[in-house]
Amino acid sequence: MLVLIGIGLAAGFITAISPCVLPVLPIIFAGGATGSRRKPFAIVTGLILSFSAFTLFGVWLLKTLGLPQDLLRNIAIGLLFRGAATLLFPKVEEIVQRPLLRLTRRPGGDLGGGLLLGASLGLVFVPCAGPVLAAITVVGATQDVGARSIVLTLAYATGAAIPMLVIAFGGRAGMNALRPHAHRIRQALGVVVALTALAIAFNVDRHFQTAVPGYTDALQKKVEQSDRAQRELQTLRGNTRVSADTSLHDEGAAPELAGLSTWINSKALTLRQLRGKVVLVDFWTYSCINCLRTLPHVKAWYRTYRKAGLVVIGVHTPEFAFEHVPSNVRGAVHRLGITYPVALDNDYRTWSAFHNQYWPAKYLIDRSGHLRFEHFGEGEYDTTEARIRTLLGENAGMLPVANELSDPTPSGLQTPESYLGYQRLARFSQSSITPDRYASYHFPDRSLRLNELSYAGVWRVEPEQIVAGPGARLRLSFVARRVHLVLGGRGSVRVLLNGKAVRTVRVRGSRLYTLLRLPTLRHGLLELRFTPGVRGYAFTFG
């Protein structure tokens, strides 16, 4: 049990410093800035209790009472607007605080208000989905709640609350430092809370979160996908599949889609009906940031390969009660521009049939209905696309991303595809790299040989990608007409050809970017200068 508590605390803490929590931080800061010294503790306590109870029992309670599944979330948003009103208008605060005084006998009646604010945040707090949160959500949705799942949920919520408590006390310290301007600051915080609540109500916060790189993803995976964590979560869930296989093994007949309801963009489908097609089953949910960051790739694969026989089925398995509501999912599908079939898995029957435990998770099924490949989480898009192309019978050698497949494949001499992560790094001029942490690199004194590449400045070289630090540069000696590079994150890349600046590429999300379009096949020395945080994956040439 102690190991389970430790895993929950660590996973929750990592969640609270991830991009997923950024939208609720202004509200926590504003709540902590006003009231007594104990109010931050009240806010955090309310959040822990609300999030834990809602995650484990919310779906069951609302179904039992016959109430709309998004009722509690809508009430919580209303309470956030109420909190904004109390900051903007002191008279409103006085009226609201009167009944809340009964919640505490100690001086400082704002404790009741703090509990209520924390409880409302617990209903709109949507953390990044990982194995721990998946396990908690599944046992809650399937009503298999026991002592271990309750302890894990409380530990996860407590871990997430620790950084939030620091933020709340930061708000109080800031207010104390600026006490002469307290009235104006309260009003400004009221506007911030109102705008944040409005953003949450209309899902605008989703767009902001997906624009921020997942800077805690690697840490989250390291904690939640460790062998010990997987064993503990497997015991909690009773599932047997704990890791993805990146090769095309034949795992036998895929489980049938079960218990799906409210199909969107399609009539109801079964895997038996889809024999002869290659099927990509994508487990996702519309409030999961990790899922949303993968959608551009899934949509591109569907657009490009559907005529070749690919069928994509988005299995929407909810994390929270409001995600069970068909109109909410339908609105999200429309807003996100998804045109492939999506079906609601509100009872987790297809999730359980696949023994799934991750958002997002992708399963590839071949034309005979056999499960051949699975991938959990974000990243490794080139690997997944290669498996799709292989099962479709297409040449997977060059692996251009889907939205560039219309480019004709060149003939004759050209630089081969070049990966940048150390797992498949080739033709690298330096003698060694420092894996998985930031380190300084220097271009060699000699000229690069044909097809050779080199790093300079600060880079973090990971298995599948490189992440730019201060002064990050890259050189490549190439032969091609077109140079493409898969990039991710946000920032810019300055492109120089033979020492002369050509253009600056603005990086907005993970996809293939065209760096150079030359009139003829030629040899050149490419130099790229990256802003920090931009990620590079692989070059392709045309």
Side-chain angles (χ1 to χ4, degrees), residues 447-499:
S447 298
L448 292 180
R449 292 186 287 268
L450 182 62
N451 301 333
E452 195 173 32
L453 62 86
S454 178
Y455 301 155
V458 177
W459 288 99
R460 187 175 73 234
V461 183
E462 300 179 359
E464 297 288 340
Q465 66 178 1
I466 54 174
V467 184
R473 293 186 291 163
L474 179 154
R475 284 180 183 169
L476 170 69
S477 176
F478 73 96
V479 172
R481 288 183 58 190
R482 296 182 179 181
V483 180
H484 313 286
L485 177 59
V486 181
L487 295 166
R490 293 181 68 84
S492 63
V493 177
R494 190 180 182 194
V495 181
L496 292 84
L497 178 61
N498 297 329

Side-chain angles (χ1 to χ4, degrees), residues 100-114:
L100 294 175
L101 289 172
R102 300 173 185 174
L103 296 177
T104 175
R105 297 179 180 179
R106 296 187 177 186
D110 60 354
L111 289 185

Side-chain angles (χ1 to χ4, degrees), residues 74-97:
N74 292 337
I75 291 174
I77 292 172
L79 290 174
L80 294 181
F81 280 115
R82 187 225 67 166
T86 62
L87 291 171
L88 288 167
F89 308 107
K91 290 282 188 183
V92 174
E93 181 181 28
E94 183 180 339
I95 294 171
V96 169
Q97 286 292 347

